[in-house]
Amino acid sequence: MRPDTTGRTTPYDEADLLRRARAVRARAHVPYSHFHVGAVVVTPTGTYEGVNVENASYRMTTCAEQTAIARMVAEGDRGPVLAVAVVGDGTDPCTPCGACRQTILEFGPDAVVYASGDGGHPLIARIGELLPHGFGPHRLAQGQR
Ligand code: THU
């Protein structure tokens, strides 16, 4: 357990996650946007890296966060996701897109997101701040008979 830059006590090292997300970004398949994104997802039992994977049929693109979470599930880990580090090209923090926020909510309703660019301070926010009033598994379960 160690404090992150917001003073939260965490079982992971924020700087290490961001370093890994920045490094894995080099493996992104981005022949169309040329915008590299790397992500690392943390659960109580593992960490999973992902990159964005684009396609000639543009809308088939998979974001880095989604690739990382798909790897987590494929490894037999259902979370909960404690944290997600995301690093994209450019200076400003690469905050997860709307679809990725929904994917993170599915497996980590309390996940903390560390979003960064090439430099500067990361943007740090809980998924509930990034996706307020989100529709998740708990709400769905209420309506199921
Ligand atoms: N991208 C991600 O991988 N994650 C995000 O949360 C934002 C966008 C990727 C998708 C696409 O390959 C490129 O960034 C430009 O949109």
Side-chain angles (χ1 to χ4, degrees), residues 46-145:
T47 64
Y48 307 89
E49 296 178 353
V51 295
N52 49 337
V53 182
E54 298 186 345
N55 190 283
S57 177
Y58 293 173
R59 69 190 179 85
M60 302 278 299
T61 291
T62 306
C63 288
E65 301 90 317
Q66 292 172 327
T67 306
I69 287 179
R71 282 181 87 173
M72 174 191 91
V73 174
E75 293 291 329
D77 188 341
R78 295 300 169 102
V81 171
L82 304 177
V84 182
V86 190
V87 176
D89 294 343
T91 48
D92 288 345
C94 183
T95 49
C97 77
C100 286
R101 293 175 196 205
Q102 185 71 28
T103 303
I104 294 166
L105 181 71
E106 177 76 14
F107 293 98
D110 297 316
V112 180
V113 175
Y114 300 84
S116 182
D118 282 319
H121 293 290
L123 182 148
I124 305 176
R126 285 213 183 261
I127 191 63
E129 298 173 76
L130 298 177
L131 187 60
H133 309 291
F135 180 86
H138 289 101
R139 179 64 189 87
L140 178 64
Q142 267 183 37
Q144 286 175 324
R145 305 161 212 245

